[in-house]
């Protein structure tokens, strides 16, 4: 699996699952742990509760979809709401689901 920055301004990331499937996730205007800890973002904050953000996300999502690695809900929850850094979240996601994620710190170009 390959993780890129999204070319679509409405989303933070795009996950290339395989050659046919890609999933856009991470609303750019939503408060999540990654947005809150990124000093370059408008919604950066040093005072927030990670567990509260995770609880609020669980209220909005379908918990059945959290058991599959290729759903928007699981990608958002485990990569954007789980740990304060994307690198740590990717590591835990890979361990949890037994998949390898290669992160490219560049915008997805469609290939």
């Amino acid at each position: 699996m390959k993780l890129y920055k999204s070319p679509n301004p409405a989303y933070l990331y795009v996950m290339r699952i395989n050659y046919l499937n890609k999933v856009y996730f991470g609303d750019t205007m939503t408060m999540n742990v990654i947005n809150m800890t990124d000093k370059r973002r408008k919604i950066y904050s040093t005072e927030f509760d990670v567990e509260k953000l995770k609880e609020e996300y669980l209220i909005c999502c379908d918990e059945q979809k959290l058991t599959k690695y290729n759903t928007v809900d699981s990608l958002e929850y485990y990569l954007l709401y789980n740990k304060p850094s994307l690198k740590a979240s990717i590591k835990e996601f890979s361990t949890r689901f037994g998949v390898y994620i290669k992160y490219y710190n560049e915008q997805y170009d469609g290939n």
Side-chain angles (χ1 to χ4, degrees), residues 2-75:
K2 298 177 181 178
L3 179 63
Y4 295 91
K5 293 179 181 178
S6 174
N8 184 334
Y11 298 100
L12 292 172
Y13 300 103
V14 58
M15 178 71 78
R16 183 76 186 258
I17 307 292
N18 55 37
Y19 292 107
L20 299 174
N21 298 326
K22 59 183 176 269
V23 178
Y24 289 86
F25 67 98
D27 184 346
T28 55
M29 298 309 292
T30 302
M31 289 176 37
N32 59 54
V33 176
I34 301 300
N35 279 346
M36 298 293 284
T37 57
D38 188 349
K39 292 180 181 178
R40 296 170 294 177
R41 299 215 178 266
K42 293 178 184 176
I43 57 175
Y44 169 74
S45 174
T46 56
E47 297 179 17
F48 67 96
D49 185 2
V50 173
E51 293 304 316
K52 184 168 174 53
L53 284 175
K54 286 170 79 171
E55 288 172 16
E56 289 174 359
Y57 185 78
L58 283 175
I59 291 169
C60 300
C61 78
D62 181 0
E63 291 189 41
Q64 291 294 327
K65 292 182 180 179
L66 293 179
T67 60
K68 299 176 183 175
Y69 72 91
N70 59 350
T71 64
V72 172
D73 289 340
S74 67
L75 290 170

Side-chain angles (χ1 to χ4, degrees), residues 79 89-101:
L79 294 179
S89 293
I90 288 172
K91 184 177 180 181
E92 184 170 321
F93 185 90
S94 296
T95 303
R96 177 180 301 274
F97 292 106
V99 296
Y100 176 74
I101 296 175

